């Protein structure tokens, strides 16, 4: 399993330190104050924050106007851009748009959205992001029902020979990581960035899943 570090709850600017750890991705939470009531720093400020980062970027758009954010974040050459199923009434047009830009496509679902509602997109995307907290804030508690969703995504992937990656986002720490073994990528924010020693926290997560 790979680890993607979210810096949403990072207090001081310790981005370089986070970038020097052995995490696999840097998870970039983008919020517009519309799709979620929280708003992140401006896109320009975010780009500036990320300018020296060497890890592959895992962009998580919690926004309503998905295409305009894609137009900005595509220039950062991300590993994935993930948008929310709940943010649009035409997910397919966004999937096609990302494909036309040659960017790997992630589709995210909120805790209240069942896997059944995205079944028709599973063969169209590279990644499914399952929210294990309500989007908007770091440091929340992991929602237990997530395990069932991850299990189902894993099962469906096997029986119909698909190869989307499964990502889980929210409330992942040294205790909960064991519950999400069906995921390929686990996002962790508060658990890593609330500590003095980031690498130590990453080691704990990686030891727990033995990777
Ligand atoms: C929540 C964000 C998550 C969050 C993860 O809206 O999408 O990426 O920051 O951080 P923790 O691990 O603090 O829940
Ligand atoms: Zn996120």
């Amino acid at each position: 399993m790979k680890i993607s570090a979210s810096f949403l709850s990072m207090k001081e600017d310790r981005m370089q330190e986070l970038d020097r750890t052995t995490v696999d991705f840097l998870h970039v939470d983008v919020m517009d104050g519309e799709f979620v009531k929280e708003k992140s720093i401006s896109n320009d400020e975010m780009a500036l924050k990320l300018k020296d980062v060497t890890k592959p970027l895992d962009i998580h758009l919690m926004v309503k106007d998905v295409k305009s954010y894609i137009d900005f974040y595509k220039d950062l050459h991300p590993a994935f851009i993930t948008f929310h199923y709940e943010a649009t009434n035409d997910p397919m047009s966004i999937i096609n748009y990302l494909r036309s830009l040659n960017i790997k496509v992630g589709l995210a679902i909120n805790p209240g959205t069942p896997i059944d509602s995205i079944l028709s997109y599973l063969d169209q995307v590279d990644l499914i992001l399952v929210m294990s907290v309500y989007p908007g804030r770091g440091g929340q508690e992991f929602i237990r029902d997530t395990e069932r969703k991850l299990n189902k995504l894993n099962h469906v992937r096997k029986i119909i020979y698909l190869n989307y990656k499964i990502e889980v986002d929210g409330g992942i720490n040294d205790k909960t990581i064991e519950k999400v073994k069906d995921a390929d990528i686990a996002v962790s924010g508060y658990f890593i960035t609330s500590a003095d020693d980031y690498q130590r926290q990453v080691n704990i997560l990686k030891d727990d899943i033995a990777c």
Side-chain angles (χ1 to χ4, degrees), residues 50-146:
L50 297 170
K51 84 176 166 24
D52 297 321
V53 163
T54 61
K55 298 288 182 200
L57 300 178
D58 163 30
I59 311 262
H60 179 194
L61 298 180
M62 289 167 275
V63 304
K64 194 89 196 128
D65 185 4
V66 181
K67 280 192 181 160
S68 75
Y69 281 83
I70 291 174
D71 286 338
F72 184 85
Y73 284 95
K74 71 175 182 349
D75 294 335
L76 304 189
H77 306 292
F80 299 99
I81 293 186
T82 298
F83 69 97
H84 271 261
Y85 168 73
E86 303 84 1
T88 168
N89 44 31
D90 190 4
M92 211 49 228
S93 81
I94 294 171
I95 293 171
N96 289 333
Y97 188 55
L98 283 166
R99 288 259 175 266
S100 75
L101 298 168
N102 225 349
I103 294 173
K104 289 216 170 117
V105 182
L107 183 64
I109 51 168
N110 280 339
T113 303
I115 300 294
D116 283 353
S117 53
I118 56 159
L119 285 180
S120 61
Y121 303 104
L122 294 181
D123 62 347
Q124 304 291 328
V125 301
D126 301 293
L127 175 141
I128 300 290
L129 184 155
V130 178
M131 289 300 304
S132 39
V133 296
Y134 291 94
R137 280 182 302 108
Q140 303 180 70
E141 201 176 319
F142 179 80
I143 297 171
R144 290 299 303 266
D145 184 50
T146 312

Side-chain angles (χ1 to χ4, degrees), residues 6 8 27 29 60 62 131 135-139 169-171 187-190:
S6 158
L8 191 59
H27 182 84
D29 287 304
H60 179 194
M62 289 167 275
M131 289 300 304
R137 280 182 302 108
D169 183 10
V187 177
S188 183
Y190 186 79

